[in-house]
Amino acid sequence: MPATRQLIAREEAKEPFFVGVDLGGTTVKLGLVDDLGRPLCWDSIATCVDRGPEDAARRMGRAVLETIRRVGLEPNDVAGVGLGSPGILDYRAGTMVNPTNFKGWNGFPIRDRVAHHCGLPVVLANDASCAAYGEFWIGSGRGFRSLVMLTLGTGVGCGVIIGDLIIEGENGHGTECGHIIVEPGDNARVCSCGRTGHLEAYASATAVVARTQDAIDAGRKTSLSCRLGDGTPLSPLAIAEEAEAGDDLSLEIVMETARYLGIGIVSLLHTIDPTGVLIGGAMTFGGAEGALGRRFLDRIREEVRRRAFPILAERTTIDFATLGPDAGYLGAAGIARVEHRKTLRRRGADLPDSGEASQATRSI
């Protein structure tokens, strides 16, 4: 796993230390960071969902301890562990709620079992919230007072940071912004959740492939047909490459995806009024480093300017996230740091205000 951020030596680090764990359907990423969010080491292990949640919790706990010892530390040198998990979570119970890609894991006390296996306090957070917090703490959103981050992948994830709150909601359904309505018509596309017209049904990687396939099936001419004829599966990467090569349909799909994201972002601006909105995840069409990615972002901004209140369109930063695949574990470590600092404050410690968000389970 390539590290986005440069690793620092133990001698350079500022105590206390935290471990972030990013649980994915295929891979678990984890890393140890110092009090400034600088990673000392990182690692990854296979999730092995089919082996069950207790096996995964055991291996995650062991990986946490191995990561700590790899840099010459002991477990009691680490103040806490943050665990980012996909899907709906019961934060009070520390469990996943009907996780789509984790059959048999529903209701498993993953937070407490990982804590048992590593012997350290663990705080559980949604993976998109972790990615958002990572960007807010040490990434593109550093210095923001509030932040919305949309992660584009198989679905559309979202994290919202407002002042000193990480929005999670009363029932763990807060910031499910991939399911805001962007197309209310009777013929709106069906989302993975079974409802219609959601942003995820138009702007996720799954939706991009489906929309493209529908256009091909309807007889649209495209250079993608040559790829499909060779047995190459349709993917966002293939669509992006053909768009860059001048294929009209592929470029249309990318720009339409940007339009739908712009529509969704406008609703978020009018609801939250954040300092900035960041776009991250696996599907950014090359991001800031590519001409197509920059054009994609410009199209999002154009749609926001067309639909949002002028002052919001003018003042809200809309940009790409920068931490890449590291955002999840870095943010999870940062959320563990927030919990540690809250505990110290409850004990009367006088800590400087570093502007970090707190782990709150209700929206304001």
Side-chain angles (χ1 to χ4, degrees), residues 29 34 51 83 98 124 130 157 182 187 227 229 235 245 251 260 269 304-305 320 325 332 346 352-353 358:
K29 303 170 187 174
D34 74 349
R51 286 161 57 175
L83 172 60
N98 295 320
L124 179 66
C130 288
V182 296
N187 296 320
R227 289 187 180 230
S235 67
L251 182 60
Y260 281 114
L269 297 190
V304 170
R305 286 193 297 270
F320 287 118
R346 285 194 294 267
D353 182 8
S358 65

Side-chain angles (χ1 to χ4, degrees), residues 65-185:
L65 295 177
E66 289 174 353
T67 300
I68 293 168
R69 291 179 175 131
R70 188 177 305 158
V71 294
L73 298 174
E74 293 298 325
N76 59 9
D77 294 320
V78 173
V81 177
L83 172 60
S85 170
I88 304 300
L89 303 174
D90 183 333
Y91 294 101
R92 294 181 180 89
T95 63
M96 300 164 75
V97 180
N98 295 320
T100 304
N101 298 319
F102 293 77
K103 187 177 180 179
W105 289 43
N106 182 43
F108 179 76
I110 190 166
R111 177 194 62 203
D112 295 343
R113 295 309 295 162
V114 172
H116 169 79
H117 287 295
C118 69
L120 291 165
V122 174
V123 57
L124 179 66
N126 176 266
D127 58 350
S129 293
C130 288
Y133 190 79
E135 296 288 347
F136 181 77
W137 183 28
I138 54 175
S140 294
R142 187 170 187 171
F144 286 7
R145 291 182 298 278
S146 53
L147 166 70
V148 172
M149 180 173 169
L150 294 169
T151 54
L152 310 181
T154 303
V156 176
C158 183
V160 178
I161 316 294
I162 302 177
D164 63 348
L165 294 175
I166 296 171
I167 304 301
E168 291 171 341
E170 179 66 26
N171 300 295
H173 286 60
T175 70
E176 287 292 330
C177 301
H179 301 283
I180 61 176
I181 305 299
V182 296
E183 178 53 73

Side-chain angles (χ1 to χ4, degrees), residues 184-225:
D186 293 339
N187 296 320
R189 301 187 71 88
V190 179
C191 182
S192 62
C193 71
R195 304 318 197 258
T196 60
H198 294 185
L199 178 62
E200 187 169 295
Y202 291 88
S204 65
T206 306
V208 164
V209 169
R211 287 167 45 224
T212 305
Q213 187 64 61
D214 286 350
I216 294 172
D217 292 344
R220 287 290 300 275
K221 295 186 180 300
T222 170
S223 57
L224 287 164
S225 298

Side-chain angles (χ1 to χ4, degrees), residues 20-22 29 82-84 127 129-132 134 323-334:
V21 181
D22 182 12
K29 303 170 187 174
L83 172 60
D127 58 350
S129 293
C130 288
L323 295 181
D326 290 349
Y329 82 76
L330 290 169

